[in-house]
Amino acid sequence: MSAPLPATTMNRVEPISVEEALAIVLDAVGTTEVVEVPLHDSTGLTLAADIIAPGSLPTFRNSAMDGFAVRSLETVDASTVRPVVLRIAGTIMAGDAPWNGPLDAGSAVRVMTGAAIPGVCDAVIRLEDVEIDRDDIRLARSITAGEHIREIGSDVRAGTTALEAGAELSWASIALLTSLEISSIRVHRRLHVAVISTGDEIQSNAASGLSIPDSNGPMLMTMLRDCGVDAEFLGVARDRQETLESIIHRAPHADAIVTSGGVSAGDRDVVRDLLATRNARLFSQVRMKPGRPFTFGLLGRVPIFALPGNPFAAAATFLQFVQPALDRMRGRRINEASRSVAQVADRIENPSPRRLIVPVRIDAGNGRFPVAHRIAESVAGLALLARADGLLVIPESVRSVNAGDTCEFWSIH
Ligand code: AMP
Ligand code: MG
């Protein structure tokens, strides 16, 4: 007869691969509904439909330089030995009405950057390229038609796609849409995500003097806000299921919940226990270091990302799972922009089959890729992350990378 298994063995689960875990997460989360918002409230949101330019940019031909608008044909013979002399017929400032009058042969019009170009002119010569002699200018070289002129539609042509659905509204897209005189747009509603820290040892809970500040709470709030998310901190839960439940109830409208701590296999792993009793867990434990205890579930329809308490593990699993899930939820293409490639400066071992995340500093190197230097092993904990430029990602299938090998790299700034 066999003895009953100890509780910890009964609870043991086999960690799954990062790829499998990410697929489960992305499959479980939904995209928020589409709403119309004023452009000035749209930063960080995702466009829900293509923007077709209602007009062209620029809307009128204008000068790209301070200089003189000319007819290029009149400059073809210009050279240093035989400069062409043109008479200054007048000045047009940016914002002035267009030059409607005729322009005598052998004349030029002084124009400021952004000024409308007289219809008969087809090029602008820069101020610094002429010699001014009272009412005349002297040109020592010829100008080609179109030089320094911004043609109508050269930036955006009316009727073409100015921005595609799925684009994030950044400062650059806000500027573009403002130029197109678009003042409200259809976007995916802003996500509202609740953050909970857990642990009896976290300062606001601890009875003893041996407490630690809640660094995960502010870290995760900042990471969420950097993702354009409306983040709400719900508090620090004691390691009791009732306190965690009551804190979760404070955010009935959250689109997602991000917790940290309480998901390993200790006696008081409150998040793990809550998800187990509510039968909400879709998986727990991934083959990733740090971050193995990462657990994901659905409380009703609300995704809950249960990050490990160790701050580096919490950050790494946030970047690995929460960030792509948020992108999916807000209708955005999964953001690959911060994920690139770096060359490894020194050999890195990955002794067991799991994704290894290594904080590194980066220098420009002199090859095709930036070079990643592992931070001295003597630096640990939060100092490690704060000093890092980014994280190297060694895949589960790779036992070691050698100096000069390339590797996936996530910038963390
Ligand atoms: P846990 O996952 O709850 O076992 O926590 C693992 C480690 O992370 C412990 O040393 C905790 O003290 C630490 N930790 C947990 N939560 C936080 C937090 N909110 N801020 C800083 N450190 C934490
Ligand atoms: Mg804990």
Side-chain angles (χ1 to χ4, degrees), residues 70 143 148 164 194 240 259 264 330 376:
V70 299
I143 308 163
H148 304 310
E164 282 175 28
R240 306 276 177 285
T259 64
S264 23
R330 60 201 176 128

Side-chain angles (χ1 to χ4, degrees), residues 96-411:
D96 279 358
W99 178 278
N100 284 327
L103 187 65
D104 293 341
S107 306
V109 179
R110 203 167 147 239
V111 286
M112 302 298 140
T113 305
I117 300 286
V120 292
C121 297
D122 65 353
V124 168
I125 181 157
R126 298 187 308 172
L127 195 58
E128 49 270 50
D129 291 341
V130 299
E131 209 178 285
I132 301 175
D133 181 9
R134 291 163 191 256
D135 290 340
D136 291 337
I137 55 169
R138 236 179 263 278
L139 286 66
R141 69 162 186 91
S142 65
I143 308 163
T144 33
E147 225 174 303
H148 304 310
I149 290 191
R150 299 173 180 146
E151 294 292 345
I152 293 171
S154 57
D155 198 353
V156 178
R157 200 163 287 283
T160 60
T161 305
L163 283 177
E164 282 175 28
E168 177 175 354
L169 289 144
S170 64
W171 45 267
S173 37
I174 302 276
L176 173 62
L177 296 179
T178 304
S179 297
L180 289 167
E181 300 194 52
I182 290 171
S183 56
S184 75
I185 45 174
R186 290 174 69 71
V187 293
H188 292 278
R189 174 176 65 70
R190 197 177 292 281
L191 285 173
H192 184 88
V193 177
V195 173
I196 304 171
S197 299
T198 70
D200 283 348
E201 79 280 29
I202 308 300
Q203 214 149 63
S204 62
N205 286 336
S208 76
L210 299 176
S211 58
I212 59 164
D214 170 27
S215 60
N216 287 346
M219 176 182 80
L220 294 168
M221 291 291 288
T222 310
M223 292 176 99
L224 286 165
R225 286 179 179 144
D226 282 354
C227 293
V229 163
D230 176 15
E232 178 186 9
F233 185 65
L234 297 186
V236 182
R238 296 194 141 277
D239 285 326
R240 306 276 177 285
Q241 215 169 302
E242 318 78 72
T243 21
L244 180 59
E245 297 242 23
S246 72
I247 287 183
I248 287 176
H249 283 132
R250 289 180 200 160
H253 303 300
D255 295 306
I257 296 168
V258 177
T259 64
S260 68
V263 275
S264 23
D267 284 347
R268 289 213 180 142
D269 280 316
V270 61
V271 183
R272 183 199 58 175
D273 293 345
L274 175 83
L275 294 181
T277 38
R278 293 259 218 115
N279 202 17
R281 196 166 66 186
L282 294 191
F283 64 81
S284 69
Q285 302 210 10
V286 288
R287 292 198 294 274
M288 173 169 171
K289 186 191 159 121
R292 178 182 162 116
F294 176 71
T295 298
F296 175 74
L298 287 173
L299 279 172
R301 298 170 54 121
V302 181
I304 174 160
F305 299 88
L307 313 184
N310 169 293
F312 178 20
T317 49
F318 182 97
L319 295 171
Q320 180 66 71
F321 299 106
V322 183
Q323 195 172 292
L326 295 173
D327 283 346
R328 173 67 51 89
M329 291 171 80
R330 60 201 176 128
R332 207 176 151 194
R333 290 183 289 267
I334 304 289
N335 180 18
E336 299 290 344
S338 62
R339 316 223 152 159
S340 57
V341 172
Q343 203 170 19
V344 182
D346 299 293
R347 183 179 168 86
I348 300 173
E349 309 275 352
N350 182 25
S352 33
R354 43 152 161 69
R355 177 172 291 211
L356 181 66
I357 310 286
V358 184
V360 290
R361 302 203 68 153
I362 283 288
D363 73 51
N366 42 27
R368 206 171 134 211
F369 300 106
V371 177
H373 302 264
R374 190 170 200 168
I375 297 173
E377 307 259 359
S378 57
V379 182
L382 290 172
L384 194 61
L385 275 187
R387 285 190 204 173
D389 294 316
L391 305 175
L392 272 189
V393 182
I394 320 285
E396 182 179 325
S397 58
V398 172
R399 291 287 67 77
S400 66
V401 287
N402 291 307
D405 287 353
T406 52
C407 205
E408 184 176 346
F409 170 71
W410 303 343
S411 172

